[in-house]
C-alpha cells in the first residue's frame, strides 16, 4: 500500500518550529515554508508511470455516475487556466469583487484538477500575493491535521464560552441575502446563485453573521460548506475561525468589519452590489437588520464577558 502526497507541498509537521511543534500563527509559518521550498518540491511528477504493477480488478464494470446518484449539471465551471496577466495584477486588484481579478482556481485545487506544484511554480514567478494565498491553504491544512478539535470547537477552547445567539429567523435572512447591508447581501446572493463568493466578501459576510448578529460561526461554516463548490474543510474552518476571532490568529478578537466602509473601499462604484441586488436603492430593498455601532458594542460585550476581559472602546 502506497500513499502519495499530492494536495500540498508540505504536510503534517514538515514545516515546524525548531522544537518540532506545529506553527499556530501564519506569518512565521509562511517564512519557514518559503525557506524550505526547493525546485525538487515543485517539480513535475510522473506518478502514474510508477504504478504499472497495480493489481488489475476483474470484477464488474465500474458503476456509472448516474447509478450512484450524480446528475449532469449546467453549472458554469471556472476555466482550468492559470492567467499570468491576471496574476501580475493580483496584488492590486484581488480585493475588488466588481472586477474579474481573482484566479477562480479554488475549485480546481480542491478537486485536484490543477496541480498545486504547478500553481506554486507559476506563483513564484508571477505573484508573491498569490503564493501567500497558496501558503495560507497549506497552513490551515496543517492546523487541521495537528489540531483536529477545530472541526467541532474553537481552536482556543476559552472561546467556546462565548454566548452565541441562535436566532433562526435572522440566520435565514443572512442566508437569503436580505440583511439590509448591500455588500453582505450581494455576497450571499452570489453564493446561492453560483456556488462561488469573492474572497473579500466571504470575510465581510462571515464577520456580519458572527459579530453583527452574534450567531455561532459553526452555523455559517456549515452553510458555506453546503453551498461552496470549492469547499474544503481546512480552509473553510480556518477562515471562519479567523473571522470569529476563535482561531489561530494573532489579531485581537475585537476586529469587527464595518460592511458599509468595506463596500465604499472595495466596491466604490457599486458594480458588484448592483449586479446581485437589482432592487438596490429602491423601496423594495430592506432596511438594515441592526445598526453597526449597536451590533459592534453587543459583540464586544459578549466576547469580553466570556473571556473575562475589559471591553475595548475602539477597534
Amino acid at each position: 500500500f502506497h500513499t502519495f502526497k499530492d494536495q500540498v507541498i508540505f504536510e503534517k509537521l514538515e514545516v515546524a518550529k525548531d522544537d518540532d511543534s506545529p506553527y499556530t500563527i501564519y506569518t512565521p509559518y509562511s517564512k519557514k515554508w518559503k525557506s524550505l521550498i526547493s525546485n525538487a518540491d515543485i517539480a513535475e511528477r510522473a506518478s502514474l508511470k510508477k504504478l504499472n504493477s497495480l493489481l488489475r480488478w476483474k470484477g464488474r464494470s465500474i458503476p456509472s455516475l448516474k447509478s450512484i446518484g450524480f446528475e449532469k449539471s449546467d453549472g458554469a465551471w471556472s476555466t482550468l487556466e492559470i492567467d499570468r496577466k491576471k496574476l501580475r495584477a493580483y496584488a492590486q486588484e484581488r480585493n475588488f469583487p466588481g472586477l474579474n481579478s481573482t484566479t477562480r482556481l479554488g475549485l480546481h485545487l480542491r478537486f485536484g484538477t490543477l496541480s498545486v506544484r504547478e500553481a506554486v511554480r507559476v506563483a513564484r514567478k508571477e505573484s508573491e500575493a498569490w503564493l501567500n494565498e497558496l501558503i495560507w491553504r497549506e497552513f490551515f491544512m496543517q492546523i487541521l491535521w495537528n489540531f483536529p478539535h477545530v472541526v467541532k470547537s474553537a481552536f482556543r477552547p476559552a472561546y467556546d464560552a462565548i454566548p452565541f445567539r441562535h436566532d433562526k429567523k435572522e440566520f435565514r435572512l443572512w442566508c437569503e441575502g436580505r440583511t439590509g447591508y448591500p455588500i453582505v447581501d450581494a455576497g450571499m446572493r452570489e453564493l446561492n446563485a453560483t456556488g462561488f463568493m469573492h474572497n473579500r466578501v466571504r470575510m465581510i459576510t462571515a464577520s456580519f453573521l458572527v459579530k453583527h448578529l452574534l450567531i455561532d460561526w459553526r452555523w455559517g461554516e456549515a452553510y458555506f460548506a453546503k453551498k461552496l463548490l470549492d469547499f474544503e474543510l481546512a480552509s473553510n474552518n480556518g477562515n471562519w475561525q479567523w473571522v470569529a476571532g476563535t482561531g489561530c490568529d494573532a489579531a485581537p478578537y475585537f476586529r469587527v468589519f464595518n460592511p458599509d466602509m468595506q463596500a465604499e473601499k472595495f466596491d466604490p462604484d457599486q458594480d458588484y452590489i448592483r449586479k446581485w441586488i437589482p432592487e438596490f436603492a429602491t423601496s423594495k430593498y430592506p432596511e438594515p437588520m441592526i445598526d453597526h455601532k449597536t451590533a459592534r458594542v453587543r459583540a464586544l460585550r459578549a466576547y469580553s464577558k466570556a473571556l473575562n476581559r475589559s471591553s475595548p472602546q475602539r477597534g
Side-chain angles (χ1 to χ4, degrees), residues 2-19:
H2 300 275
T3 63
F4 297 87
K5 179 178 62 174
D6 202 56
Q7 273 283 320
V8 291
I9 304 300
F10 298 116
E11 64 178 355
K12 302 177 182 178
L13 282 170
E14 290 183 333
V15 178
K17 299 178 183 178
D18 293 340
D19 63 359

Side-chain angles (χ1 to χ4, degrees), residues 183-218:
I183 192 72
V184 174
D185 294 340
M188 297 308 296
R189 295 187 193 189
E190 179 186 27
L191 174 64
N192 292 331
T194 69
F196 173 82
M197 189 193 297
H198 186 277
N199 185 61
R200 165 61 57 172
V201 186
R202 295 188 195 197
M203 291 190 289
I204 298 170
T205 57
S207 177
F208 185 86
L209 181 73
V210 180
K211 300 293 178 64
H212 281 68
L213 302 184
L214 203 60
I215 290 177
D216 198 322
W217 58 270
R218 281 160 286 216

